[in-house]
Amino acid sequence: MAEVSKARVDAWCWAVRLFPTRSAAGKACRAGHVRVNGERAKPATLVVPGDEVVVRGGARDRIVVVQRLIVKRVGAPVAVTCYLDRTPAPPRGEPVAVVAQRDRGAGRPTKRDRRLTERLRGRTNR
């Protein structure tokens, strides 16, 4: 594993498996989805140990602190030793109500089945 004193942010993010390809890391940097120490990062922005890298993707941001610098892609067990993950836990979602489902081939619901379904959904006057 080649350790260096400074590394490009796109190469480092790819090497520690934050992106599947280096070109995807570069595109994310150019689109403004990568920040280093709070500033938008171009692909050639240099990172050093101690820098905070925020990668925006999907539903939430990934916040990592650079521990070691590498520029060659490594396996996942080695990659997680190169950064400290400060990403907050995902928020707990509200419980989803169970949707009543009928068995396949059971035919149309009877009047009694419809009343029970309406009562389950809370749409009854009784």
Side-chain angles (χ1 to χ4, degrees):
M1 173 172 38
E3 282 199 45
V4 292
S5 60
K6 292 183 180 180
R8 289 172 53 118
V9 70
D10 62 340
W12 184 81
C13 287
W14 166 75
V16 297
R17 298 177 170 267
L18 295 177
F19 290 99
T21 63
R22 184 160 175 189
S23 63
K27 284 181 185 177
C29 291
R30 284 189 292 279
H33 300 300
V34 178
R35 293 184 173 273
V36 176
N37 297 326
E39 300 291 324
R40 282 180 65 170
K42 293 181 179 180
T45 301
L46 297 177
V47 292
V48 295
D51 283 350
E52 182 181 73
V53 178
V54 179
V55 177
R56 188 176 65 195
R60 58 190 194 132
D61 293 351
R62 187 99 189 261
I63 304 168
V64 296
V65 177
V66 179
Q67 296 289 95
R68 291 179 22 210
L69 295 176
I70 57 173
V71 290
K72 298 281 185 181
R73 192 158 171 105
V74 294
V78 177
V80 296
T81 64
C82 296
Y83 61 85
L84 180 61
D85 198 352
R86 297 266 171 109
T87 306
R92 296 193 73 195
E94 293 182 17
V96 179
V98 178
V99 177
Q101 291 186 353
R102 294 181 53 80
D103 295 330
R104 271 188 80 104
R108 290 185 52 158
T110 63
K111 192 171 193 176
R112 179 174 182 259
D113 292 337
R114 287 195 304 273
R115 285 182 180 151
L116 289 172
T117 302
E118 293 298 316
R119 192 174 305 142
L120 178 68
R121 290 182 180 169
R123 296 182 188 166
T124 184
N125 293 334
R126 293 184 187 178

